[in-house]
Amino acid sequence: MRKVMDCRDYPSESHCSLTLAGEEEEVMQAAAQHAVAVHGHQDTPEFRTTLRGMLKDEVPQHA
């Protein structure tokens, strides 16, 4: 099942609205890169644990 991570679920001063979706490790890698580049976080094991806790299962959208 694909995973989703939404910046709106994580409080920030920038009010970022980025949403990432894909396989779990793809989302984790992209989220970590985004958090470092845009939000100034440090990519540490502890931060990755926090990020992993933000993952949600994608809710399928039907047309």
Side-chain angles (χ1 to χ4, degrees), residues 14-39:
S14 66
H15 304 290
C16 184
S17 65
L18 181 71
T19 300
L20 301 169
E23 297 298 320
E24 183 170 340
E25 289 310 313
E26 293 172 324
V27 174
M28 284 296 299
Q29 184 66 27
Q33 291 174 357
H34 171 75
V36 169
V38 175
H39 298 289

Side-chain angles (χ1 to χ4, degrees), residues 2-62:
R2 288 170 36 108
K3 297 292 184 175
V4 176
M5 188 173 301
D6 191 333
C7 268
R8 294 172 298 179
D9 293 338
Y10 195 79
S12 75
E13 292 179 7
S14 66
H15 304 290
C16 184
S17 65
L18 181 71
T19 300
L20 301 169
E23 297 298 320
E24 183 170 340
E25 289 310 313
E26 293 172 324
V27 174
M28 284 296 299
Q29 184 66 27
Q33 291 174 357
H34 171 75
V36 169
V38 175
H39 298 289
H41 292 284
Q42 292 187 8
D43 189 0
T44 64
E46 294 81 11
F47 185 65
R48 291 268 180 151
T49 298
T50 299
L51 284 179
R52 198 166 296 279
M54 295 173 61
L55 288 171
K56 296 179 181 177
D57 291 338
E58 182 179 54
V59 176
Q61 301 293 316
H62 300 286

